[in-house]
Amino acid sequence: MAEHEETLMEKIAEKIHGHDSSSSSDSDDDKPSESSVKAKVFRLFGRERPVHHVLGGGKPADVFLWRNKKVSAGALGAATVIWTLFELLEYNLLTLVCHLSILALALLFLWSSATTFIRKSPPHIPQVQIPKEPVLEFAEALRFEINRAFAVLRDIASGRDLKKFLSVIAGLWILSVVGNWCNFLTLFYIVFVLLQTVPVLYEKYEDKVDPFAEKAMREIKKQYAVFDAKVLSKIPRGPLKEKKKD
């Protein structure tokens, strides 16, 4: 009798254990996988790649993201020195180039002349030449970007995309306002400093920035939908892409 009770209790325990394991496996199956959750995470500007790849990768991205702190600090320091010379000290570019050339040539001439009296080897002055391939690659990349900008401007001027037209007009107007506040060199320095600080900060705190950006994008889209329904939809559009042949 005791043995019968023990076998009965064992069967009941096995059934309870099997039910718990099956329910836990079902609950695990119902949960979304970690990869799917990560895939649904909102990223700023709709990017799917790391910030380093978005910035083009290579050495420029390393400089902007401070992968090599000495190079990044040197680039930021050089930009700050140039901006200080031209803006705060009001140096002229031609004057600065001439003064630096005079100083360099004078030091090298005196050093070379002094070696003949002290009987030491003259300084080694390297021969500087601009390589051909990087210049051609830069010119080709610049030509491609200019042609693409012309194509975008042509598409905007055709009147087919009102949203893009308003975005470009707003961007140019903001740029003109900023141009009234500062000159081109100051604007270039501000953009360079932003490129040296914003990407690295965003890469460090992207998990906190992206949720706020998602809320902002939703609100912008909502306001644009209202503006489109009340204003933009009532504006006559430009010529259609496809016209009937005569």
Side-chain angles (χ1 to χ4, degrees), residues 4-235:
H4 179 70
E5 290 179 356
E6 289 179 359
T7 56
L8 181 62
M9 293 297 294
E10 289 177 357
K11 291 182 179 179
I12 294 173
E14 288 178 357
K15 289 183 178 180
I16 294 174
H17 180 70
H19 178 71
D20 293 338
S21 62
S22 62
S23 61
S24 62
S25 63
D26 293 339
S27 61
D28 292 338
D29 294 337
D30 293 337
K31 292 181 181 180
S33 61
E34 186 178 357
S35 60
S36 63
V37 171
K38 288 183 178 180
K40 295 180 180 179
V41 174
F42 175 84
R43 293 301 180 189
L44 198 61
F45 306 117
R47 63 179 181 84
E48 298 179 356
R49 299 177 298 170
V51 182
H52 188 271
H53 291 174
V54 174
L55 293 175
K59 293 183 179 180
D62 292 340
V63 173
F64 293 142
L65 295 176
W66 292 74
R67 294 288 193 267
N68 190 336
K69 294 184 179 181
K70 293 182 179 180
V71 176
S72 300
L76 184 60
T80 304
V81 170
I82 293 173
W83 179 78
T84 302
L85 289 174
F86 289 117
E87 288 299 316
L88 299 183
L89 302 180
E90 296 182 353
Y91 245 98
N92 186 277
L93 177 60
L94 182 61
T95 304
L96 179 62
V97 171
C98 292
H99 285 178
L100 291 178
S101 300
I102 291 171
L103 180 62
L105 290 175
L107 290 176
L108 291 174
F109 180 81
L110 292 176
W111 189 5
S112 300
S113 300
T115 54
T116 58
F117 297 100
I118 60 178
R119 295 180 180 180
K120 287 189 176 182
S121 60
H124 175 68
I125 302 175
Q127 185 177 2
V128 180
Q129 291 183 349
I130 299 176
K132 182 179 179 180
E133 293 182 357
V135 175
L136 294 178
E137 291 177 359
F138 176 77
E140 181 65 22
L142 182 62
R143 184 189 67 84
F144 176 78
E145 294 297 334
I146 292 175
N147 289 336
R148 189 170 66 173
F150 284 154
V152 171
L153 293 176
R154 181 179 179 277
D155 184 65
I156 293 172
S158 63
R160 297 168 183 168
D161 194 341
L162 184 60
K163 181 180 178 180
K164 187 183 294 185
F165 170 75
L166 294 177
S167 300
V168 172
I169 294 299
L172 292 175
W173 180 77
I174 294 173
L175 190 61
S176 66
V177 172
V178 174
N180 288 329
W181 295 343
C182 57
N183 57 18
F184 179 77
L185 182 60
T186 302
L187 180 61
F188 179 80
Y189 177 70
I190 292 173
V191 172
F192 184 79
V193 171
L194 291 176
L195 287 174
Q196 286 282 87
T197 53
V198 174
V200 65
L201 292 176
Y202 171 70
E203 187 183 39
K204 186 177 181 179
Y205 302 104
E206 61 178 342
D207 293 335
K208 297 180 181 179
V209 174
D210 287 337
F212 290 102
E214 183 179 9
K215 294 179 182 179
M217 290 299 296
R218 288 179 180 175
E219 187 64 26
I220 291 173
K221 290 180 179 179
K222 188 186 299 183
Q223 296 298 328
Y224 176 78
V226 174
F227 181 70
D228 186 25
K230 293 183 178 180
V231 180
L232 298 182
S233 60
K234 299 179 181 180
I235 299 176

